[in-house]
Amino acid sequence: MILERLSGPPAAEGVAAEAQQLMRAMFPLCRSITGDGVRRTLDLVEKWTPLKRTEVPSGTALFDWEVPKEWNIRDAYVSDALDRRVVDFRQHNLHVVSYSIPVDRSMSLTELEPHLHSLPEHPDWIPYRTSYYREQWGFCVRHRDRMQFGPGPYRVVIDSDLAPGHLTYAEAVIEGRTSGEAIVYTHTCHPSLANDNLTGIAMAAALARELRGETPRLTWRFVFGPGTIGSLAWLSRNEKILPRISGGFVVGLLGDRGALTYKRSRNGASATDRIAEHVLRTSGCEHRTMDFEPYGYDERQFCSPGFDLPIGRLTRSANGAYPEYHTSADDLDLIRTDKLAESLTVLARMISVLDANRSLQSLSPRGEPRLGKRGLYGTLGGTAPSDMEHALLWVLNLADGKHDVVAMAARSGLPFELLDRAATALEDVQLVRSLDEQVAEPRRAAK
Amino acid sequence: MILERLSGPPAAEGVAAEAQQLMRAMFPLCRSITGDGVRRTLDLVEKWTPLKRTEVPSGTALFDWEVPKEWNIRDAYVSDALDRRVVDFRQHNLHVVSYSIPVDRSMSLTELEPHLHSLPEHPDWIPYRTSYYREQWGFCVRHRDRMQFGPGPYRVVIDSDLAPGHLTYAEAVIEGRTSGEAIVYTHTCHPSLANDNLTGIAMAAALARELRGETPRLTWRFVFGPGTIGSLAWLSRNEKILPRISGGFVVGLLGDRGALTYKRSRNGASATDRIAEHVLRTSGCEHRTMDFEPYGYDERQFCSPGFDLPIGRLTRSANGAYPEYHTSADDLDLIRTDKLAESLTVLARMISVLDANRSLQSLSPRGEPRLGKRGLYGTLGGTAPSDMEHALLWVLNLADGKHDVVAMAARSGLPFELLDRAATALEDVQLVRSLDEQVAEPRRAAK
Amino acid sequence: MILERLSGPPAAEGVAAEAQQLMRAMFPLCRSITGDGVRRTLDLVEKWTPLKRTEVPSGTALFDWEVPKEWNIRDAYVSDALDRRVVDFRQHNLHVVSYSIPVDRSMSLTELEPHLHSLPEHPDWIPYRTSYYREQWGFCVRHRDRMQFGPGPYRVVIDSDLAPGHLTYAEAVIEGRTSGEAIVYTHTCHPSLANDNLTGIAMAAALARELRGETPRLTWRFVFGPGTIGSLAWLSRNEKILPRISGGFVVGLLGDRGALTYKRSRNGASATDRIAEHVLRTSGCEHRTMDFEPYGYDERQFCSPGFDLPIGRLTRSANGAYPEYHTSADDLDLIRTDKLAESLTVLARMISVLDANRSLQSLSPRGEPRLGKRGLYGTLGGTAPSDMEHALLWVLNLADGKHDVVAMAARSGLPFELLDRAATALEDVQLVRSLDEQVAEPRRAAK
């Protein structure tokens, strides 16, 4: 099974500490759903793993949506009569509402007010606001500062471009031995927010780097793209592979102190769901499982009724469930190395089990085949069978094409890893075959 | 949604009080499964709502049954040697066993005894007895009176006709906008018994009258007919519409102090069942739900295996579960206006929800459609969606043709009414369509 | 229903006491998976019930297996320098590892040691060991004795044959009225062990003898054969009847003090499973139900994925769950007459219910048929129906071809026996027909 190196704390904590370095480098960049902030973020990820980048032109239809104009910003501020910047984008890129159109005007506080956003209940935090699909502009400020603003006049400058360009997403692709596919999607569109979602980007980068040295069964695609419009772009360009997707995860918000939280796919009992619950149940971690609901992150798109893919979501605190969510308080200090390492270990095991999971078909289904003559069974009767013998019998009995290995684990109570080894031993002596392997043939031929 | 006027106590209590007037007028009539008592009862109902009457001749085959002879009675008594009536049909029409054949003879008490029915445990109550399908005669008396009877001789007179005639049933039909059908069935065959079933007749009349001013989605048929043989007659004459029935209710016993009791259809998870349980659960009323069983009222026929219709039953105390059941103590004093009003409100809501319930199909199922450009969604990102936005997302996500609105309510935890409004908004912008509406086309064309 | 005589303790205890006599006669015989010990055991069974014997030649292919050589043993011992037998097959036939090849050699204790088996934790018990599929030899001894063995030399003699011959199994077949089939399988391959499995052989013999005087609905086959290879032999010779098998039981270990234990078939909800659980639940006995797992007795073969038959298993303590299991302490003293009688009563009822169970189809499914005109229903309305009337209504309502009688019992809460009588009454008046009866026609024609 793949990714075994990350199964224990020492390696996982080392990688988590490295990932925090990557997050530190990415933090200051001003990301949005398009623009150079995203491209420079991908440059940093590329130091960890090769990426295949896709640039989709503005105006391209993506199902019911279309790619918006590209947004880039150089500077923005509100300055007073003495030319002092009372709000300054150079201090924090959350100060500007994402996708704000260019402005350069003088105005009174009264005129400015409708364009200001602050949090009275958290007067020291800058809120995060966006306006992707309606052209407007605005500033986000600490409520404590806002209370000091005099009547003006103010000079209001946003030096941004909103113009035809491209949407950028990238994939780290690790080819598998079969035609099966799996994906890990993480959103790249948030500016200087650490948990949401530099943790997701860094964990995906780390897993892709680890996996590159291995030979997984499935082709794994780690996709780095903006929320909503990014997964729609990826889906629109990958419709041919969708039927071959065995499972996958939307990941993010992996470094806070909340319990690991798995959100089921729309199906609710997909292989991904059963695997995620099996891994969490046997992980010893504090965890929580929740039903699918049609809000959250990109699982909304993967699980829309026309796709209905077996893709769940792994976070710690889910969207909105921690007070710092979508404010300047979601910074690097919020991230805990031990929690990041725990997230990494659990996610690695989910990926590993999903990769190894397969449905099996017995090639000798009438009666139990004789394991003894194949060297797979003790020969002196009268004593209880070993764990491995139990696993062999379970795999043979449930190899009816309707059970995958994780279903065998659920029904037998035996560990997935033991059943996987038994299944492999039985494949080796041609007593069972993997139904999913078969799918691989035509694709290999096509290469 | 229809019948909203009855959703609150003030209107419902007003209608309940009116219904009690109607019950008072119906009470003295001697109903049975056939005969003029039924016709005169329908005359009174007709003051509330137009009726389509059907007269089915005696001898007509109804599946395994046939329409019996028509029974009418003018007078009946047992008089003593001094010509004093010791049992007198003019005092209470329960005194005669329903469908008693004519008699005019003198006899001793010994001869009379096998024809007498009384309740030793309730000596002041007259029992209710029938003998529709075996020709015999009998009297029902207070046990206290019976204990006074001397040895006779007695003159025994039953001035009745049992002769070829007709079975009478009637429907109040409110045409719907689609080809879907729903029915409310209530039995009309009980003589002077108030809860069972003047309450059912009066509630059905009230709901039909209310609904006449509205434009339901389904065609609603309020059917007034005798128990068993009446529903068989209706079924035999309406086989063409059975496949279009979305749901319905057998109703009766709606005015006593017992908890509202819903009995599931044979299917157990039909739309009607899920709706009834949703309405009860959110009603705040004391209530109870029971599984289908093949005894009770006309749900026995609707839920026989050859029909297996999605029709449940709403009563308060079910058959036999209150001591006054099928005795003279089930009189107008037993009926409580507040309970009648509560029954009316809940039944109106069940009808309203069943009428609005439909399966939806997304017309933009790949990815979430963009609600913002259709004016259905807030435009400033970063904050939590509103309840209406949640409802829109749920409807879109579950609009796969396999979920109806009440299933969406169950899965999302959102109120049916909110999801109905969201569904309607999405139908208006052509993001979803109702699968059930479609069914309407051929029928409209046929008109 | 069949086997009613065994439903109460007096008859069951009488038969249990007789069965213990049979066990006493069988106990000294040296059984194995082949050989004359099995044939002589069947001679004893034949005194209770006629048997159809099958001899399958060594080398015959049985799916993935083949029939091994036949093993017979005349004598075996280990003697010391003074010619004293320190291990003697004539004292207990467990002393020799089953299927030991012939030996006649002198050797030191050091050479002998790897061929000795004993139980340090139970120094007075002889273990039971076999080596069917690898040619070797060995002795099983009391650990206490083994501790006394000097350094040798010893003469080691096993006077056995391992040569081409036959595997022997036998069936007691009681023909049924329909083409349906059911089986009871018990293993015959254990030497002098009482609970495992002389109890199984004796109970099967007793039930076959009882059933011979009756006319079951199904054809019942009581199969006496060795474990694993015996059920494979039977399956390979009876493939044509497998589709007609309604259910059955693997039985054994029925006389110890443990709770009656039903192990579900692989399907988990087969008719056999639902029946066994219904019988246990209503038996008043201490009992336990366990899920299928692919180790145990011959249910492993019947429930392999290529057969997946509706066959469960009834034991008391299951394999390995009592300390005396597979040792010389599993002797006749372990067996309790009262437990044997309880096993017999419960097994008889499971057989009886399985035999009577059938799916029914209403011949008058639209509306309730009129029971009154067929003499099946009270005629004076107004009172509650009797238990039998309830049963008639339930059978009619669920006679949709998808419910068998045991499912009707589960849904209605009524006793199986009452529903069976109601079903028979409705079959008699041609209101329902048994779907399983139909299957009988072609087979009868073929006779």
Side-chain angles (χ1 to χ4, degrees), chain C residues 287-346:
Chain C
H287 66 271
R288 207 165 70 89
T289 302
M290 56 186 283
D291 278 331
F292 178 76
E293 54 184 22
Y295 25 93
Y297 297 110
D298 291 277
E299 68 278 7
R300 294 161 64 151
Q301 310 308 325
F302 295 118
C303 294
S304 58
F307 296 124
D308 203 16
L309 290 169
I311 292 179
R313 186 186 77 186
L314 188 71
T315 61
R316 300 195 73 94
S317 293
N319 41 318
Y322 61 108
E324 302 88 351
Y325 174 75
H326 276 198
T327 75
S328 57
D330 183 353
D331 61 14
L332 294 166
D333 291 340
L334 190 76
I335 306 309
R336 289 177 46 168
T337 311
D338 60 334
K339 294 301 181 185
L340 211 54
E342 188 188 71
S343 300
L344 187 63
T345 294
V346 165

Side-chain angles (χ1 to χ4, degrees), chain B residues 273-423:
Chain B
D273 298 328
R274 293 178 290 116
I275 286 164
E277 293 184 55
H278 175 84
V279 168
L280 285 174
R281 202 167 40 240
T282 57
S283 69
C285 300
E286 189 196 353
H287 66 272
R288 206 165 71 89
T289 303
M290 56 187 283
D291 279 331
F292 178 76
E293 54 183 22
Y295 25 92
Y297 296 109
D298 291 276
E299 68 277 8
R300 293 162 65 151
Q301 311 308 324
F302 295 118
C303 293
S304 57
F307 297 124
D308 202 17
L309 290 168
I311 293 179
R313 187 187 77 186
L314 188 71
T315 61
R316 299 195 74 94
S317 293
N319 41 317
Y322 60 108
E324 302 87 351
Y325 175 75
H326 276 196
T327 75
S328 56
D330 182 353
D331 62 14
L332 292 166
D333 291 340
L334 189 76
I335 307 308
R336 289 178 45 170
T337 311
D338 59 335
K339 295 300 181 186
L340 211 53
E342 187 189 72
S343 301
L344 187 63
T345 293
V346 166
L347 188 52
R349 185 150 182 256
M350 287 183 183
I351 289 172
S352 165
V353 171
L354 177 54
D355 191 70
N357 192 46
R358 56 210 188 272
S359 291
L360 296 161
Q361 179 88 50
S362 174
L363 300 171
S364 182
R366 298 191 306 160
E368 275 177 22
R370 229 187 102 196
L371 296 176
K373 71 181 178 189
R374 295 174 176 93
L376 294 172
Y377 211 79
T379 53
L380 193 71
T383 54
S386 70
D387 279 356
M388 185 58 177
E389 286 164 354
H390 275 179
L392 290 163
L393 293 175
W394 272 111
V395 172
L396 284 167
N397 191 269
L398 297 181
D400 54 8
K402 290 173 207 144
H403 289 80
D404 54 11
V405 180
V406 74
M408 296 176 183
R411 185 154 175 188
S412 69
L414 297 175
F416 182 94
E417 285 73 5
L418 180 63
L419 290 161
D420 174 61
R421 276 193 287 130

Side-chain angles (χ1 to χ4, degrees), chain C residues 76-78 85-89 92-97 109 112-113 115-129 137-149 154 326-328:
Chain C
Y77 57 88
V78 177
R85 294 190 170 195
V86 299
V87 185
D88 186 358
F89 172 72
H92 206 300
N93 56 38
L94 286 182
H95 275 313
V96 177
V97 170
L109 181 60
L112 180 58
E113 273 289 355
H115 297 274
L116 294 181
H117 307 279
S118 64
L119 300 168
E121 66 279 22
H122 292 297
D124 291 320
W125 297 355
I126 310 165
Y128 165 52
R129 292 288 179 275
W137 60 267
F139 286 90
C140 300
V141 298
R142 290 179 186 85
H143 198 67
R144 194 178 306 281
D145 293 342
R146 183 179 188 171
M147 291 301 94
Q148 311 299 322
F149 290 178
Y154 290 103
H326 276 198
T327 75
S328 57

Side-chain angles (χ1 to χ4, degrees), chain B residues 63-65 117 128-131 133-134 136 232 239 266 292-295 300-301 303-307 326, chain C residues 362 364-370 373-374 377 379-383 390 393-394 396-400 403 411:
Chain B
F63 310 113
D64 191 57
W65 300 61
H117 306 279
Y128 165 53
R129 294 287 180 273
T130 69
S131 182
Y133 297 103
R134 212 182 97 201
Q136 51 184 325
L232 291 169
E239 292 202 58
R266 180 178 184 275
F292 178 76
E293 54 183 22
Y295 25 92
R300 293 162 65 151
Q301 311 308 324
C303 293
S304 57
F307 297 124
H326 276 196
Chain C
S362 175
S364 183
R366 299 192 303 163
E368 276 177 21
R370 229 188 102 197
K373 70 181 178 190
R374 294 172 178 94
Y377 211 80
T379 52
L380 193 73
T383 54
H390 276 179
L393 293 175
W394 272 111
L396 284 167
N397 191 269
L398 297 180
D400 56 7
H403 290 80
R411 185 152 176 189

Side-chain angles (χ1 to χ4, degrees), chain C residues 64-253:
Chain C
D64 192 55
W65 300 62
E66 63 179 53
V67 176
K69 292 177 188 162
E70 182 175 327
W71 184 68
N72 284 291
I73 182 164
R74 283 165 296 276
D75 194 8
Y77 57 88
V78 177
S79 58
D80 63 14
L82 300 175
D83 224 23
R84 287 175 311 200
R85 294 190 170 195
V86 299
V87 185
D88 186 358
F89 172 72
R90 292 175 314 192
Q91 297 301 316
H92 206 300
N93 56 38
L94 286 182
H95 275 313
V96 177
V97 170
S98 200
Y99 260 67
S100 282
I101 55 175
V103 187
D104 186 351
R105 284 176 49 206
S106 283
M107 62 184 75
S108 68
L109 181 60
T110 312
E111 263 186 289
L112 180 58
E113 273 289 355
H115 297 274
L116 294 181
H117 307 279
S118 64
L119 300 168
E121 66 279 22
H122 292 297
D124 291 320
W125 297 355
I126 310 165
Y128 165 52
R129 292 288 179 275
T130 69
S131 182
Y132 303 134
Y133 297 103
R134 214 183 95 204
E135 296 201 352
Q136 50 184 327
W137 60 267
F139 286 90
C140 300
V141 298
R142 290 179 186 85
H143 198 67
R144 194 178 306 281
D145 293 342
R146 183 179 188 171
M147 291 301 94
Q148 311 299 322
F149 290 178
Y154 290 103
R155 186 168 172 216
V156 175
V157 173
I158 296 181
D159 178 14
S160 67
D161 291 327
L162 187 58
H166 294 81
L167 173 153
T168 311
Y169 73 81
E171 286 171 88
V173 182
I174 295 96
E175 289 279 340
R177 305 191 304 273
T178 70
S179 67
E181 298 269 349
I183 78 165
V184 174
Y185 192 96
T186 198
H187 56 279
T188 54
C189 50
H190 285 41
S192 303
L193 298 167
N195 194 41
D196 180 11
N197 189 31
L198 296 181
T199 56
I201 299 171
M203 291 294 93
L207 288 161
R209 185 183 72 175
E210 285 297 306
L211 202 47
R212 196 153 294 282
E214 311 204 56
T215 51
R217 206 171 62 81
L218 305 174
T219 291
W220 282 89
R221 295 174 192 273
F222 294 82
V223 187
F224 301 83
T228 303
I229 195 77
S231 46
L232 291 169
W234 186 87
L235 283 161
S236 74
R237 270 152 184 69
N238 289 278
E239 292 202 60
K240 270 192 215 155
I241 74 163
L242 302 185
R244 296 203 306 272
I245 289 185
S246 296
F249 303 93
V250 170
V251 301
L253 300 87

